[in-house]
Structures are given as C-alpha cells and as structure tokens.
Amino acid sequence: MPKRSSRKSSPSPRKKRSATAKKTAAKKTTAKKSARKKTSARRPAKKTASGKRPASFLKGYGRLLFLFGALVLAAYYLYLDVMIRNQFEGKRWALPATVYARPLELYVGKKLSVQQLLREIKLSGYRPVLEAKSVGTFSLHGNTFELVSRAFQYGDSFEVSRQLRIRIEQGQVLAIDDRNTGEPVDIMRLEPAVIGRIYPAHHEDRQLVRLQEVPKTLTRGLIALEDRAFYQHHGLDPRALARALWADLRAGKLVQGGSTLTQQLVKNFFLSNQRSLWRKFNEANMALLLEWHYDKDDILEAYLNEIYLGQDGKRAIHGFGLASHYYFDRPLAELRLKEIATLIALVRGPSYYDARRHPQRLLKRRNLVLSIMAKQRIISAQEANSAARQPLGVVRRPHNIAGLYPAFMDLMRRQLRRDYRQEDLTAEGLRIFSTLDPAIQQQVEQAADKWINRLDAQRGLAGKLQTAVVLSDTSNGEVLALLGDRNPNYAGFNRALDASRPVGSLIKPAVYLSALEKGYNLASMIEDTPLTLKGPDDSRWSPRNYDGQSHGSVPLVTALIRSYNQATVRLGMSLGFEAIADTLHRLGVKQAIPAYPSMLLGAVNLSPYDVSGMYQTLAANGFNSPLRTVREVLAADGRALKRFPVTVKQAFSAEKIEMMNRALNAVTHVGTARSLQKLLPADLEIAGKTGTTNDLRDSWFAGYSGSHLAVVWLGRDDNQPLGLSGAGGALKLWAEFMRRIDTRPLPLFELPSLEYEWINFLNGRLSAEDCESVLYLPFPPGQAPSERAECLDSGMMDDDF
Amino acid sequence: MLRQTRFLFLLPALLLFACSFTPEQPVSKTKEETGLIQIRPSTSSRPAVLKLLEKARRAAKAGQFDVAEAQLERALRIEPRNATLWHYMARLRLEQGRMEQAAGLAARSNSFEHDDASLQANNWRIIAHARYQQGDIEAANAAQARADALAAD
C-alpha cells in the first residue's frame, strides 16, 4: 500500500466543519459499534454457559476461540474504519499548489500587438472559435478580439465572466467594450496562465472540483454507466454483483465488475492491481463503513476527484478536473457532451481505452456510453446521435505545464520556503500568484537561444557556453523573467542563483558611489597611473588597464565609464575597504566583502541574482526593494492568506543616485557599452555597466531602463576563458531582449537640488553642448568646475570593455 | 510625464493632522481614515488608473486595506513613476501602522520628478508623523520643517 499523507486540510469551511463533526460522530459510533460487537459476541457464550446442557467444547478452548474470533473481527473493523476515514478525510484533499503567471492587465493605451495578445489569450487557455459565445472561447477578426472571460477569484476581488471586445490598433489597445452592455471597460485582467504546480513526492496530480460545478450530465451519466443504484444502496449492490457474477460465469472469465462507485473509490484509495478475493472482501467492508460515515454527495465528490483516469509519464492523472485538462485542455465546466461521454468511458480502464494509443476502442466505448445515456433519458437520442458522429477530439499533446520555467519556479520555491512548509505547498491546494511575465520570459529565452548558439559557434566553445539572466521590474522588485541555463527547460543547476562568479567591473559603481558620498563629484580629477600593492603574504599586485595604457589625470566620470582599473584601485584605496563594503551592503549585497585590493576590481563572487539585487537599488533611485517572485497566496477556497507587498527602504540620497545614473547612462553613449546605441532604438535611454573578468572568463552586463533591470552573465561551468568581453557577449544578448519588450527609457530629468553643466569628459572642464567629448552632468550646488575648456575633438575610443 | 496627475483636493485631513502634529496630540485614527478616502487625482490621469484608485478608495473606506493595497499596486505597475500613487501607498501604510514603510514610500514619492509642492509637503508630513511614532523626535522635527517650508512657498 503506498504510504500517503493523512493530513487534513480544509478546502472550505463547510467541508471542514462537516468532516470534523463526522469524525467525532464517527468516533462515537465506532465505540458504540465495537461495544455492540462485544456484547453480541458475549451473548451466545453466556447463554450456553447458563444452559442446561453445557457443551464441553464451549466451556473450554472453543469458547476462548470464539471470543478471540470476535475480538479479531472487532479489531479488523476498527482497523479498516480508521484507515478508510484517514484516506477519505486526508488524502481526498491532498492538492498540489497551483502557480499562476502574472495576469495581463488590459486597458486603453496599453502597448500590445495583436500577436502578443493572441499568445496571452492562448496561454490563458482560451479556445479559438468563429464566434465567441461560451466561456473560455475567443474569436479574432482583423484587429478585433471577442472573448468570453472566465469568472476568476483574485486575491483582491472575484471577477465575473464577461463578454468582451478588444480592439488593437498600431501596437496598442484602442478600445475595450463589454459586448452585453456596450459600455467601455476601463481596465480588465486576463485570467493568469497556470505555469506550474508544486507536487508531493509521489507525483499524484489533481484539480479539485466541487460537486455543484460538475456538469449534471457527467454525474448522471457516470451513475447510469457504473452504478445505477448509487443513491439507494449502502455501499454494496448485491443485485449488480449477482448480475456481474452471472455474466462472468457465462463467459468463463471476469468480464463485468459489479462494483459500486463506493467500492471503486475504496479501490482507488489503495491502488493495487491484485484481484484477490481477500482484497474484494476488504473493499466491500470498507465501502460499507464509508457509506456509514459519509453521505452520498460527499462520496460522489470524492470519487470525482479521486478516480484514476490516465498516466502522463510519471504523473498519474486523478479525478475528472485534471483529466478534463489533460485530454481536452479545458476546464470541466466547459466540456461538451462528446467529451463528457469520453471521460465516463475512460473510467472502465484508462490504459485499455488509452485515448492516444487505442482511440478506436475508446471511440466505441464512448458511443456505447452515449447510447446508454440516451436510453436512461439523460440526453435525447438526437443529442446522442450527433455526439456519436463526432471524433474524440482529444488534444494531441496536453498543454504540459510541468517543467515550464524551471529556473523561476526554483527561485519561487526557495522564497516560499521561508513562509511555508513543504507539506503545505504540496497538499493544501494553495493558489500562488507569481510575478512571472510569460511574454518577457519568452523574449529572454529566444534572445538567449539566438545569441548563445551564435557566440558559442563563433568562439568554438563546442556547446559549453552557458548563461543566466535575471530580469526585474525596477519600481517594485518583481522578478519578471529568469534563465538559469542556455536550455530554458533544463531543471538542474540554476546559474542565476547558484553560479557565484567574480563580477569584475560590475562592482565599480559601488566604488564610485562611495566616492560621491565622500565628497567627490563626477568631474573630480583622479589619477590613472601605475601602482603596486603589497598583499599580506608579501605578494605584489600591479593592476593594469585593459588597453595596457595609463591615462594620467582623468575626471572621475571618465574613469568609471571607460572602466579604468588603475584609477579605480587608487580611488578605492583612498576611500578604504570599509566604506566600499558598506556601500555594497546598502545596495543590497548580503555576502561578506573581502578586504583586499583586488576586490576593487571585482574579485568578489556573486550570482547574477545577487548582482540584480545590487543594481535594483541603483535602478530604483537609491531605494532598496528586495527581489520578489510572489505577489500573494490564496487558500484553496479563495481566502487571501498572505500578500507580499512592495517594500522600499531609502539607502542612498536621490542626488547621489542621480549622479551615478548619469554616469552609467554615459557608459552606454561614450563608454564601454556604447555599442548599445546601434542595438537599441534611439530614444531608449539606458544606464548600465559591462563586466569582464581575467582572461575573458566571464562576460557580464547589468543595465536598466526606466522600468526594467536585467543582468546577463555568460561563462563556462569549467571556468575556462570564453574570449568574450562584457560588451562582446552579455551586452548583445541583453540588447536583443530589451529592444523587444515594452520598456520605458531611463528618465533624464533634472533634480532641482543639483546643478547641471556640460563637461568635457577628457579634462573635466566646463564646455558647451555642441563641443566634442561632452557630457551633461549634475553637481552638488557650487561644486561644478569653473575652468572652461576649448571645444576639442572626441578622444580615443579603442577600449571595448 | 507626471504632470498628468495632480491633486484636486488638498488633503484636508492631512493638513489637519499636520496641524495636530504636536507631541502632546497624536493624530486620531478617524482623521487618517477620512484622509485616504478624500484623496482624488485629477481626471487627467488615464482612466485605468483612475478606476483602480476608485476601487482602492472604496476598499480603504470599508477598512479592506489589503484590497486597497492590491489596487494601488496594480495602478503603480501601469504608472510606476506617478508620485501621487506612491504617496497614497505611503498613506495606506500609515493607516496600517507600518511606520517605517510609510516613511520609505513617502520618500520614494518625493524622489520622482514633480513640481507639486503640496504633494511634497504632504510626503514630508507623513515622514514626520512616522518618525514621531517611531520615537525619533529629531527626525520628525526636521521632516516637519521641510513640510512647513514647502507649504510656505
């Protein structure tokens, strides 16, 4: 017998009450029953003991044997009773948690193409039809979608089913109307796509349905086919049994079951294929006990959710709710007659009537089901005939959500583990509203597919180039997309979270931000000259610049945007490791920061996810918002259990971050990431930083627009060189998806508390807009340079790191 | 960009609680509640956001702060740089008694580009109130001074 959880959960308050009430009632009755048994067992013994002719066999061993037998019988029933009640009350509701993507918000003016909306609608499980009349269908004519939405319970409200019309024009939503009232709709949510379930170890899957939401034709048809006397019998149906026995005898083998629905339910509780008399005997007794404790509708509902209806690889398909999705890719309430009949047909033997391997057998049985339903007047003969003429309509490949977005699901599970136990996630039927944006995730996956293959081939890396991407919403820290392997469906090592690699120059903004906090400004002159530092073990370290040159006296901003190593180390040494470690921690980095000079050039191991946390603070104006994957969690009955709201904590002043953002924006115009200008639309302003580690082993790019932050890492698992710099690798992949998603430019507005000047970034002097080599930079009041520069030609741009 | 959204109403309750901001006189709960309810953005914000604000307002009035919060978050995903929306979020936290978050969100609201001095003053009042409740009188007075200076402009 498979060991199963006997946890009791509460799908609805009503259920729980009735279940507990029954449980206590059951306890009493069981007690009574065993008491009754004992007395009845004693009575004949007493009689014989006081009888005139005391039989010797009853006086001696016989009596003992009899008593012993009665006790064994009582114990047997008690054992069955406990077991069956545990199964019924516990396992019946062991539901995996359902994970949803973010719901798509639709409103007039929203940027969205016809293709994008089409994809979202399909992801949400809508069926294309010519005219959208029934729930869960949609039509598309030209640029106009018509659909009938499903009622849906969100954490904040219950939304009813509506008939809607959505018009798209030139890549944005032009109008949304309610087709019934003709009224315009200001805002609506498309029900979120289910992107995953969290299964218990034994891979049983189900989708709970309540009796009242199951189509009547299904329950009546099921009873007609499997157990006509269901509402009359007490768990066993002797007449059906006799009929089956007669049929078996005539055929000379087992051809007919004769089991009641209750017996079938018991059999499903303890799945075993053995067909022994002893098992039959046990099942019959448990069926009687079940009927004694619970009413018919409870048993029927449990049956509908428990019955085994197919196998999808390792996953067992239990219950009509899940079977409906598995075979027809649709919720049970939306099934048509022919599909309902098919599911009823499958009850008899999901593998013998396998829908995909033996469609002819199943079709024959389905039509038999239809004709019996017609005979029993559940449907009309005409309905039966017309349904019987139609094909099975089983979807070729079920919309298999298992294994989608493994990297994101991994991160989400880790975050949920802080608040929930594993058993709660796999048994309580929780509904988890995640932050994943499937449209953005798709763009990231496609961009990775394109660039990883291309770069891998270019560099002759023989398939060893690996990648990780973290993409988040800068305003609230929601993780919208995550990639942990070049194959987005690979569920193993999650590089986004677990590949801790040297970050190289990505660390430099922390050094320069520390400098700004210590009174430097963007035009402060710093020295980019050779230096040698002594390590604790007397080793010597002489950092070099990527271009092999030293640049002498340079403005602070130039050292950052051109990623000069010598200037950075000199600056960092003057600020002290403590100050820089403090800045890193305030940015959101949790790891301990080593206090040695190479740390200043990124000899700090961080995962792409850690780097995202750090840049998130820069992207959000100096406000720290932890990265989140879950918005809220609902109980199975729709009660809101927990929200994970946006939280903010100011870690840096708006002025310091504004200076940093301007500098990082300059990186994408005249610095190491200037190749972005060719790869992105001209008006999409970005702030970002490239990162490259020793011998070109890691290629990083971290960059943000006005609404999205993305960190991309490329490297090899064996840590061998790639031959790719940050700009030559990660940046290309980054630009590929960023130009495809709907993102806003980095806003470049002027803070009233700062002064803005055109500065020549080669010498740090005042200049003018129309001169070469100039940047428009903010300064704290009174700190802008006063010396004016000549209009000069642009400087060397040969470094690309 | 953010000029779409402005106050039609000058947060009478906020001003009330600003006036009442003295160490001896903590703000009463009812005043705060009416404060949130009476905030309305101008009609120049996009209809989707106005609709969500209306929902948030109704939920807050009914004491359903979680629902109000969810609606404000939805609105913020549409207009993430709308200083007024961040301000409402801060007010909601204030009503929930989450002072640290109230102050953080008010500061976030002030970090966006806007030339609405009264909004900025109100954000500083939230910060002042939060700091006072947290027992940081010095920070509370400093924030209150910023609010007063802005209100005097």
Side-chain angles (χ1 to χ4, degrees):
Chain A
M1 192 193 312
K3 199 180 166 195
R4 286 186 178 126
S5 147
S6 62
R7 294 181 45 83
K8 203 172 63 161
S9 81
S10 45
S12 77
R14 187 191 65 80
K15 278 270 168 249
K16 191 179 182 180
R17 259 204 313 280
S18 67
T20 21
K22 272 169 188 158
K23 203 172 176 183
T24 36
K27 262 182 200 156
K28 279 180 202 160
T29 40
T30 328
K32 256 187 234 159
K33 189 179 170 176
S34 39
R36 214 184 304 146
K37 280 245 157 60
K38 270 178 203 156
T39 44
S40 60
R42 222 175 283 137
R43 218 173 288 136
K46 235 183 189 173
K47 226 179 197 171
T48 42
S50 59
K52 284 173 194 163
R53 202 161 51 85
S56 56
F57 74 93
L58 276 182
K59 254 188 174 173
Y61 291 115
R63 185 175 164 182
L64 261 175
L65 211 65
F66 197 87
L67 267 172
F68 181 69
L71 265 170
V72 166
L73 198 68
Y76 165 73
Y77 268 100
L78 202 65
Y79 166 71
L80 285 190
D81 195 62
V82 166
M83 198 154 71
I84 195 68
R85 277 190 298 118
N86 271 344
Q87 282 296 328
F88 194 82
E89 287 171 23
K91 184 177 171 298
R92 178 161 66 128
W93 308 118
L95 291 169
T98 304
V99 184
Y100 296 95
R102 61 93 184 91
L104 181 69
E105 299 271 8
L106 289 168
Y107 48 89
V108 174
K110 159 111 185 158
K111 276 195 193 164
L112 197 69
S113 69
V114 170
Q115 280 311 311
Q116 285 168 330
L117 182 54
L118 184 63
R119 186 173 175 272
E120 295 276 350
I121 283 178
K122 283 184 176 166
L123 257 179
S124 292
Y126 283 80
R127 271 174 301 131
V129 289
L130 279 176
E131 206 179 332
K133 282 181 183 162
S134 52
V135 170
T137 61
F138 79 96
S139 69
L140 171 60
H141 300 291
N143 292 340
T144 303
F145 288 85
E146 295 201 338
L147 60 88
V148 186
S149 71
R150 301 189 178 91
F152 194 84
Q153 177 72 57
Y154 292 94
D156 53 79
S157 62
F158 179 78
E159 294 202 358
V160 294
S161 167
R162 285 203 287 184
Q163 304 217 357
L164 296 156
R165 181 181 299 115
I166 304 163
R167 269 181 63 204
I168 307 274
E169 204 77 70
Q170 292 175 340
Q172 59 177 353
V173 178
L174 187 72
I176 308 173
D177 302 289
D178 188 312
R179 287 192 281 148
N180 280 339
T181 63
E183 296 281 308
V185 174
D186 289 330
I187 182 160
M188 63 164 286
R189 281 178 282 200
L190 202 60
E191 314 95 75
V194 175
I195 56 164
R197 289 180 209 289
I198 303 179
Y199 297 106
H202 50 71
H203 289 283
E204 271 188 17
D205 195 6
R206 74 195 68 214
Q207 252 173 19
L208 186 68
V209 289
R210 306 207 185 288
L211 192 55
Q212 61 267 28
E213 56 192 57
V214 177
K216 281 280 166 293
T217 31
L218 173 59
T219 45
R220 293 183 61 195
L222 183 68
I223 288 169
L225 260 290
E226 296 293 324
D227 184 4
R228 263 172 231 175
F230 177 67
Y231 279 103
Q232 284 86 45
H233 63 63
H234 296 285
L236 304 176
D237 185 0
R239 275 166 52 195
L241 214 58
R243 259 200 318 272
L245 204 64
W246 179 236
D248 291 349
L249 279 175
R250 272 199 317 187
K253 56 179 181 179
L254 290 168
V255 291
Q256 208 171 320
S259 295
T260 62
L261 288 183
T262 321
Q263 282 171 288
Q264 292 182 30
L265 174 60
V266 169
K267 191 171 141 191
N268 262 268
F269 277 158
F270 308 103
L271 274 183
S272 108
N273 290 322
Q274 161 197 32
R275 276 189 138 173
S276 72
L277 266 179
W278 173 243
R279 203 207 65 190
K280 281 251 169 233
F281 180 70
N282 277 343
E283 274 173 22
N285 279 311
M286 284 197 261
L288 288 171
L289 288 168
L290 213 53
E291 292 270 352
W292 189 20
H293 289 308
Y294 305 100
D295 62 41
K296 290 283 183 187
D297 283 350
D298 280 351
I299 291 170
L300 185 58
E301 191 174 83
Y303 180 93
L304 291 167
N305 286 306
E306 180 59 43
I307 196 78
Y308 171 72
L309 288 168
Q311 190 71 34
D312 177 23
K314 266 202 297 188
R315 187 169 71 127
I317 310 294
H318 282 268
F320 284 87
L322 183 64
S324 170
H325 281 278
Y326 178 64
Y327 291 111
F328 305 112
D329 208 1
R330 226 161 332 138
L332 195 55
E334 291 175 22
L335 292 191
R336 290 162 292 186
L337 177 58
K338 62 166 190 170
E339 292 145 352
I340 287 174
T342 306
L343 291 185
I344 296 174
L346 277 166
V347 168
R348 195 45 72 87
S351 75
Y352 182 79
Y353 295 108
D354 189 302
R356 294 180 180 95
R357 273 185 301 158
H358 307 297
Q360 280 313 312
R361 279 184 200 168
L362 180 60
L363 189 77
K364 227 174 118 190
R365 173 137 183 98
R366 181 200 72 181
N367 291 347
L368 176 71
V369 170
L370 285 167
S371 73
I372 292 177
M373 285 170 80
K375 248 184 241 163
Q376 295 286 313
R377 293 173 194 268
I378 296 164
I379 53 173
S380 71
Q382 201 197 342
E383 284 174 314
N385 284 336
S386 101
R389 276 195 301 272
Q390 292 174 40
L392 281 175
V394 169
V395 291
R396 205 181 313 146
R397 210 165 46 86
H399 175 63
N400 194 358
I401 52 155
L404 274 184
Y405 316 123
F408 181 88
M409 295 291 279
D410 178 28
L411 173 61
M412 193 197 70
R413 252 187 243 122
R414 294 189 204 190
Q415 294 193 342
L416 282 170
R417 225 170 277 158
R418 296 183 214 144
D419 299 283
Y420 295 91
R421 292 176 307 163
Q422 180 69 14
E423 307 93 271
D424 296 338
L425 293 176
T426 55
E428 301 289 325
L430 298 180
R431 299 171 66 219
I432 297 165
F433 288 80
S434 83
T435 57
L436 182 93
D437 185 322
I440 292 181
Q441 175 75 27
Q442 187 195 29
Q443 294 299 343
V444 170
E445 290 179 4
Q446 285 175 355
D449 184 58
K450 174 177 163 183
W451 279 102
I452 297 301
N453 286 326
R454 190 179 286 185
L455 294 169
D456 193 292
Q458 270 176 17
R459 294 283 149 192
L461 296 172
K464 289 194 173 139
L465 181 60
Q466 267 300 350
T467 187
V469 180
V470 182
L471 193 149
S472 57
D473 183 326
T474 56
S475 70
N476 54 23
E478 291 183 345
V479 178
L480 306 178
L482 199 74
L483 201 62
D485 188 284
R486 61 186 286 168
N487 171 7
N489 297 321
Y490 176 71
F493 186 48
N494 191 348
R495 290 166 193 80
L497 311 182
D498 298 325
S500 226
R501 305 287 291 233
V503 297
S505 301
L506 289 192
I507 206 156
K508 285 178 182 162
V511 178
Y512 289 84
L513 186 55
S514 306
L516 293 175
E517 289 205 307
K518 294 249 171 164
Y520 285 80
N521 65 55
L522 291 175
S524 300
M525 297 305 281
I526 57 175
E527 294 305 306
D528 185 57
T529 48
L531 75 163
T532 300
L533 296 162
K534 234 190 338 194
D537 51 350
D538 257 3
S539 64
R540 280 162 191 278
W541 182 57
S542 309
R544 293 164 53 82
N545 285 330
Y546 289 111
D547 61 0
Q549 320 246 322
S550 298
H551 305 86
S553 219
V554 292
L556 185 133
V557 66
T558 309
L560 174 60
I561 65 181
R562 294 203 167 163
S563 221
Y564 294 153
N565 287 339
Q566 293 173 345
T568 306
V569 174
R570 281 185 178 277
L571 178 67
M573 294 303 289
S574 75
L575 298 167
F577 298 128
E578 292 249 318
I580 291 152
D582 176 62
T583 300
L584 280 165
H585 289 141
R586 278 157 63 211
L587 282 168
V589 174
K590 303 225 162 44
Q591 285 83 346
I593 305 298
Y596 43 72
S598 59
M599 171 272 272
L600 299 167
L601 298 182
V604 176
N605 289 356
L606 295 178
S607 71
Y609 180 75
D610 298 329
V611 172
S612 284
M614 169 181 165
Y615 276 79
Q616 179 78 23
T617 309
L618 294 174
N621 291 15
F623 288 81
N624 218 313
S625 293
L627 295 175
R628 291 173 300 139
T629 51
V630 179
R631 289 182 183 174
E632 58 194 329
V633 177
L634 305 192
D637 63 358
R639 264 177 310 125
L641 291 181
K642 192 170 171 65
R643 299 199 82 250
F644 296 85
V646 57
T647 57
V648 299
K649 186 177 174 225
Q650 186 160 19
F652 297 92
S653 78
E655 288 76 17
K656 301 293 182 295
I657 297 294
E658 161 68 358
M659 290 190 262
M660 186 48 64
N661 278 346
R662 291 278 177 165
L664 292 178
N665 176 239
V667 171
T668 70
H669 285 278
V670 292
T672 52
R674 63 182 175 277
S675 54
L676 267 187
Q677 294 305 316
K678 286 176 287 179
L679 302 173
L680 294 177
D683 56 350
L684 183 55
E685 290 293 343
I686 298 292
K689 186 77 195 83
T690 52
T692 310
T693 58
N694 288 347
D695 307 323
L696 307 178
R697 290 170 203 272
D698 302 273
S699 163
W700 290 92
F701 187 69
Y704 47 93
S705 68
S707 49
H708 297 95
L709 160 70
V711 174
V712 175
W713 168 84
L714 303 186
R716 288 173 59 152
D717 288 342
D718 58 12
N719 205 18
Q720 292 303 302
L722 305 173
L724 290 170
S725 67
L731 179 139
K732 289 183 169 148
L733 169 48
W734 189 96
E736 182 77 27
F737 60 74
M738 279 303 257
R739 73 190 170 90
R740 290 179 192 279
I741 67 173
D742 174 21
T743 191
R744 287 163 237 247
L746 184 77
L748 296 171
F749 62 85
E750 297 180 19
L751 280 187
S753 50
L754 294 174
E755 290 169 3
Y756 290 74
E757 297 290 353
W758 287 97
I759 300 292
N760 179 308
F761 62 79
L762 297 178
N763 56 27
R765 294 180 185 170
L766 282 183
S767 188
E769 185 173 0
D770 47 7
C771 297
E772 293 293 324
S773 306
V774 290
L775 290 169
Y776 193 58
L777 298 173
F779 294 91
Q783 283 193 29
S786 49
E787 262 186 284
R788 193 157 278 280
E790 309 263 315
C791 265
L792 297 170
D793 288 340
S794 66
M796 270 189 326
M797 302 264 230
D798 51 358
D799 56 321
D800 197 28
F801 290 95
Chain B
M1 181 192 331
L2 289 165
R3 295 186 182 110
Q4 309 158 335
T5 317
R6 262 187 222 152
F7 284 114
L8 272 185
F9 295 81
L10 269 183
L11 308 168
L14 255 178
L15 294 175
L16 263 178
F17 104 43
C19 299
S20 69
F21 179 72
T22 51
E24 298 79 30
Q25 246 186 314
V27 188
S28 81
K29 185 78 183 162
T30 46
K31 278 177 193 165
E32 286 177 38
E33 274 166 11
T34 50
L36 183 74
I37 292 151
Q38 287 176 1
I39 294 168
R40 287 191 193 97
S42 85
T43 45
S44 59
S45 199
R46 67 175 98 200
V49 170
L50 290 178
K51 181 82 176 184
L52 292 170
L53 277 175
E54 173 63 19
K55 284 186 179 182
R57 189 187 65 83
R58 254 186 277 140
K61 195 174 173 183
Q64 299 172 314
F65 293 139
D66 274 4
V67 175
E69 175 184 283
Q71 305 310 323
L72 284 180
E73 283 185 354
R74 288 177 71 192
L76 271 169
R77 283 187 206 105
I78 298 171
E79 293 183 353
R81 306 186 68 85
N82 184 330
T84 309
L85 295 177
W86 286 99
H87 172 78
Y88 294 162
M89 204 67 161
R91 291 204 50 81
L92 198 60
R93 292 283 175 268
L94 207 60
E95 308 225 6
Q96 291 168 321
R98 295 167 61 183
M99 296 302 159
E100 188 60 40
Q101 279 303 307
L105 289 158
R108 185 88 170 102
S109 171
N110 271 348
S111 76
F112 291 109
E113 175 198 27
H114 56 86
D115 43 21
D116 186 337
S118 72
L119 178 62
Q120 298 206 1
N122 285 327
N123 279 324
W124 281 112
R125 287 187 187 108
I126 290 175
I127 295 169
H129 184 70
R131 295 294 174 236
Y132 171 69
Q133 291 289 323
Q134 290 175 316
D136 188 347
I137 305 298
E138 201 179 313
N141 285 335
Q144 186 63 38
R146 298 284 298 260
D148 294 344
L150 280 161
D153 281 348

